[in-house]
């Protein structure tokens, strides 16, 4: 059950039927840099002009942001070009000074969302505030922490709320800077369907050549908007150079996106979808029946192993089984990653069930 009381994206941003776009540089570097970015963004439909003022950086020698002095630049440039402005806040002091200068939207960064003490301090500073507040996902793939941060901000009275999905730090991820783990975004949506969700392909990919593709994936999932870092001279940006795009490229990306409708009332579409979904329902029931049958056989094997005092895991059998199933899955047009993930779950549960069986007392044989 959703414990959040929020107003809709359309109500707080006026945006409906197209993605909300937040664009601008990772960091404010100078008033000229902000002005040039904003001017060159005039051809794109950008709803909020972003710039980082305080930067939480991994290493102390990295550029940590201009600080308070950049706020008047951001707000002036926004006013001159008729754009609303947005920045990241990481402390109660940031909230106070950003609002004093008239920033229109605040977001809480991934490195802040991980810390409930910091989030609570920010939430306290947001009491009575009317600007929208967006909460980035925490760096770790922890939905509870993400939702907890939203609840803190919401309980402080902020109703104009949203989340930014920027991906997660996880071991073994090579393709992305921060693994998207779309399944977590989908689970978040399931739990809180009314909370607007914006995707940040810049921090997710870390590479400008992948941004269009990830932005399109967000549109394909029907997500509500995009935050894309935009810099007049990306290669020379003082932070996140590899992932920023020029304002012209941002304009092009927005134009290239295929925005999907939430649904369609077309009668033929509704009828066909119903037939196809019915087929899926039947197939899923068959799948579950088969999995249950498979488990009964696993239990039988467990009983033989118990009778013969044999271990549950036979590595050679598991290796051969996995190889066979992956090969077959690929022949059937399924991806090997999918088949592997599926079989890892099936095998884990089978081993677990077998260890339960081999530890059970054997059933008394009838006298
Ligand atoms: C940012 O948006 O500039 C930023 C620092 O992002 P994140 O909090 O996602 O790392
Ligand atoms: Mn950045």
């Amino acid at each position: 059950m959703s414990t959040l009381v929020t107003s809709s994206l359309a109500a707080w941003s006026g945006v409906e039927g197209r993605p909300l776009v937040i664009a601008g540089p990772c960091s404010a570097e100078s008033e000229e840099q902000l002005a040039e970015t904003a001017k060159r963004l005039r051809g794109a439909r950008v709803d909020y002009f972003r710039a980082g003022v305080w930067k939480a950086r991994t290493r102390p020698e990295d550029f940590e942001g201009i600080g308070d002095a950049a706020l008047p630049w951001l707000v002036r440039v926004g006013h001159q070009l008729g754009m609303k402005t947005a920045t990241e806040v990481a402390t109660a002091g940031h909230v106070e000074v950003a609002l004093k200068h008239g920033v229109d939207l605040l977001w809480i960064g991934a490195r802040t969302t991980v810390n409930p003490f910091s989030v609570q301090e920010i939430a306290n500073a947001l009491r009575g505030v009317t600007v929208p507040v967006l909460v980035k996902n925490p760096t770790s793939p922890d939905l509870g922490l993400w939702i907890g941060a939203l609840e803190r901000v919401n309980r402080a009275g902020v109703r104009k709320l949203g989340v930014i999905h920027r991906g997660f730090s996880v071991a073994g991820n090579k393709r992305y800077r921060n693994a998207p783990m779309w399944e977590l975004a989908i689970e978040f949506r399931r739990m809180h369907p009314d909370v607007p969700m914006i995707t940040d392909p810049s921090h997710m990919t870390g590479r400008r050549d992948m941004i269009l593709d990830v932005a399109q994936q967000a549109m394909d999932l029907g997500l509500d908007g995009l935050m894309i870092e935009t810099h007049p001279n990306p290669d020379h940006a003082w932070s996140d150079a590899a992932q920023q795009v020029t304002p012209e490229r941002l304009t092009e990306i927005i134009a290239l996106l295929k925005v999907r409708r939430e649904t369609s009332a077309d009668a033929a579409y509704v009828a066909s979808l119903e037939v196809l979904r019915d087929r899926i329902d039947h197939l899923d029931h068959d799948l579950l029946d088969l999995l249950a049958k498979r488990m009964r056989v696993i239990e039988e094997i467990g009983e033989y192993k118990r009778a013969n005092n044999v271990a549950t895991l036979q590595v050679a059998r598991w290796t051969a089984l996995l190889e066979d199933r992956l090969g077959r899955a690929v022949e059937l047009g399924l991806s090997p990653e999918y088949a592997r993930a599926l079989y890892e779950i099936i095998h884990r549960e089978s081993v677990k069930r077998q260890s339960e069986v081999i530890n059970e007392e054997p059933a008394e044989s009838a006298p």
Side-chain angles (χ1 to χ4, degrees):
M1 262 308 281
S2 175
T3 50
L4 300 167
V5 185
T6 57
S7 63
S8 72
L9 180 71
W12 62 256
S13 72
V15 172
E16 235 178 328
R18 64 172 180 87
L20 176 98
V21 177
I22 304 175
C26 176
S27 302
E29 298 166 8
S30 66
E31 185 160 1
E32 294 66 41
Q33 169 239 15
L34 293 182
E36 193 185 340
T37 316
K39 255 185 239 153
R40 286 167 50 187
L41 275 174
R42 268 186 302 199
R45 194 152 44 168
V46 172
D47 301 289
Y48 287 90
F49 181 55
R50 68 154 276 162
V53 167
W54 306 278
K55 303 301 296 181
R57 305 311 301 280
T58 305
R59 308 284 302 279
E61 64 265 30
D62 294 340
F63 170 60
E64 292 192 302
I66 296 284
D68 299 19
L71 288 169
W73 307 342
L74 176 62
V75 172
R76 233 180 349 249
V77 167
H79 283 169
Q80 277 160 8
L81 289 137
M83 289 165 117
K84 289 183 280 185
T85 53
T87 201
E88 174 180 338
V89 289
T91 67
H94 294 166
V95 172
E96 200 182 314
V97 67
L99 293 175
K100 199 176 83 196
H101 281 89
V103 175
D104 300 298
L105 176 149
L106 305 176
W107 81 84
I108 296 178
R111 288 174 178 78
T112 306
T113 309
V114 291
N115 185 340
F117 289 127
S118 301
V119 173
Q120 191 57 53
E121 276 181 27
I122 294 171
N124 294 344
L126 286 167
R127 231 165 255 289
V129 160
T130 55
V131 299
V133 178
L134 305 180
V135 180
K136 283 201 172 194
N137 68 254
T139 48
S140 49
D142 184 336
L143 268 189
L145 210 46
W146 197 4
I147 292 165
L150 272 176
E151 285 169 345
R152 288 176 196 278
V153 174
N154 199 214
R155 280 182 196 182
V158 177
R159 299 279 180 268
K160 298 174 189 167
L161 266 187
V163 291
I164 303 175
H165 173 214
R166 49 76 83 193
F168 302 88
S169 302
V170 285
N173 153 51
K174 292 197 190 72
R175 187 167 153 74
Y176 296 91
R177 178 178 178 189
N178 296 300
M181 303 184 78
W182 294 106
E183 65 279 14
L184 289 188
I186 293 168
E187 176 59 6
F188 182 98
R189 281 245 119 165
R190 193 187 65 77
M191 295 169 77
H192 296 285
D194 298 332
V195 175
M197 181 178 284
I198 287 152
T199 307
D200 173 349
S202 308
H203 291 90
M204 224 174 242
T205 63
R207 292 172 42 162
R208 66 180 71 101
D209 63 335
M210 288 169 70
I211 287 177
L212 174 59
D213 184 43
V214 169
Q216 185 59 55
Q217 288 181 51
M219 294 301 98
D220 294 347
L221 284 172
L223 302 181
D224 301 297
L226 297 163
M227 175 186 262
I228 300 181
E229 288 188 335
T230 314
H231 190 284
N233 190 357
D235 284 334
H236 292 95
W238 297 0
S239 58
D240 289 351
Q243 71 194 30
Q244 302 206 58
V245 294
T246 61
E248 292 70 30
R249 177 63 183 156
L250 187 277
T251 310
E252 195 175 33
I253 289 173
I254 302 300
L256 287 170
L257 286 175
K258 294 185 202 72
V259 179
R260 315 292 182 190
R261 287 182 291 179
E262 200 176 322
T263 185
S264 165
D266 180 80
Y269 161 82
V270 173
S272 313
L273 194 68
E274 207 171 304
V275 171
L276 291 168
R277 285 185 170 163
D278 195 49
R279 275 168 60 190
I280 290 287
D281 291 347
H282 280 97
L283 286 166
D284 277 348
H285 292 165
D286 291 350
L287 210 52
L288 289 169
D289 285 346
L290 278 174
L291 286 171
K293 272 190 200 144
R294 188 184 193 282
M295 196 56 95
R296 298 291 90 80
V297 179
I298 290 292
E299 286 164 357
E300 260 187 67
I301 297 177
E303 280 156 23
Y304 278 114
K305 285 184 177 173
R306 181 183 59 215
N308 293 282
N309 199 26
V310 171
T312 49
L313 179 67
Q314 270 84 47
V315 177
R317 162 71 179 155
W318 167 228
T319 307
L321 184 151
L322 189 61
E323 201 178 306
D324 174 76
R325 305 308 188 263
L326 292 192
R328 186 159 169 77
V330 170
E331 270 170 36
L332 292 169
L334 300 171
S335 81
E337 298 80 26
Y338 176 50
R340 172 180 285 275
L342 210 53
Y343 266 91
E344 276 169 0
I345 295 179
I346 290 175
H347 186 250
R348 195 186 321 137
E349 188 64 17
S350 302
V351 170
K352 179 170 159 255
R353 184 69 198 115
Q354 269 193 18
S355 22
E356 285 165 4
V357 172
I358 63 170
N359 284 301
E360 274 165 15
E361 291 301 322
E364 290 287 328
S365 48

